[in-house]
Amino acid sequence: TTGLIGRVTRTTCVLPQTLAPNGGSYSCEFKASLAGLPITGADTGTTDTVTDTATVFGHDSNTPPKPVSGSDTAQVKITNVPPSLTVVKALDKLACADLDYKVKVTNTDSGESISLTTLTDSAFGDLTKATPDNTKILSTSCAVPQTLEPFGAAQNKDKYECTFRAHVCLSGTSSHTNTATGTVTDNEGGSASADSNSLTVNVCANTASATCP
């Protein structure tokens, strides 16, 4: 038996065993859990050793058999081992991104000047307004009205360009598609609108460079 009864988690000890005369022996090993026992480092005055007494009971081969027994102790020093852990961080997905866009409007009429009156976007709304008036756009250089001279005018005065930065949050997809629309009027009171090309931006990231392949 052992003083650690109830704590033995593994053993090679098997009974009964017959020992030969004149020094015959039997040996085995067992493993016991010391969880819950006081150890140094927890509280002042706690025990840092565990002493176990193993006792052997048997009998000889006489008739009637004569019982025999013996015991010995072993002392084990317990070292308080600090807890340990590992933490791993990895990119799961890119949920939101800030995208910079450029918009260019060109007067394709070589006969007269026109006035750009509105610039809107299918995803971001009014491109001339930013946060807090338009929470989808962080900043913008777009403004109206703008006068565009006839097509082919010097110094690109037949064109108007502006930029804006938009905050895009993706839901179940890695791409964002939107279209800009401009509206113009002429000096006779006529008006026209045109859509830009549809622009798709692929938003992705990886752990190496956080850039799209």
Side-chain angles (χ1 to χ4, degrees):
T1 63
T2 171
L4 295 174
I5 291 177
R7 293 182 175 272
V8 176
T9 59
R10 181 172 57 83
T11 181
T12 63
C13 300
V14 179
L15 295 176
Q17 296 290 336
T18 300
L19 305 183
N22 301 317
S25 64
Y26 169 73
S27 63
C28 63
E29 299 178 355
F30 67 90
K31 182 178 180 179
S33 172
L34 304 182
L37 296 179
I39 58 174
T40 298
D43 297 298
T44 303
T46 55
T47 304
D48 63 355
T49 59
V50 171
T51 300
D52 180 45
T53 300
T55 303
V56 176
F57 298 90
H59 60 81
D60 61 17
S61 57
N62 294 327
T63 304
K66 181 180 179 181
V68 294
S69 65
S71 64
D72 196 10
T73 61
Q75 192 175 72
V76 178
K77 183 176 179 62
I78 306 300
T79 302
N80 188 9
V81 178
S84 63
L85 76 161
T86 61
V87 178
V88 177
K89 179 182 178 182
L91 180 66
D92 181 32
K93 61 182 178 180
L94 185 63
C96 298
D98 294 343
L99 305 179
D100 290 335
Y101 290 92
K102 177 186 291 186
V103 179
K104 179 167 71 173
V105 180
T106 301
N107 182 3
T108 58
D109 186 349
S110 60
E112 64 178 345
S113 298
I114 57 176
S115 177
L116 177 64
T117 57
T118 64
L119 267 179
T120 60
D121 187 273
S122 59
F124 308 121
D126 190 343
L127 297 183
T128 67
K129 298 183 183 300
T131 301
D133 297 319
N134 184 353
T135 57
K136 296 180 180 180
I137 297 179
L138 301 178
S139 61
T140 182
S141 68
C142 300
V144 291
Q146 297 290 336
T147 299
L148 282 64
E149 294 188 6
F151 179 73
Q155 299 178 348
N156 290 323
K157 290 185 177 181
D158 58 347
K159 300 176 179 62
Y160 172 70
E161 293 187 38
C162 62
T163 60
F164 67 94
R165 174 170 293 179
H167 188 64
V168 177
C169 290
L170 307 174
S171 177
T173 180
S174 61
S175 64
H176 178 82
T177 302
N178 62 302
T179 302
T181 300
T183 301
V184 298
T185 59
D186 60 15
N187 56 8
E188 289 86 20
S191 66
S193 296
D195 294 333
S196 71
N197 55 295
S198 178
L199 178 63
T200 297
V201 177
N202 295 314
V203 182
C204 58
N206 57 50
T207 55
S209 62
T211 58
C212 291

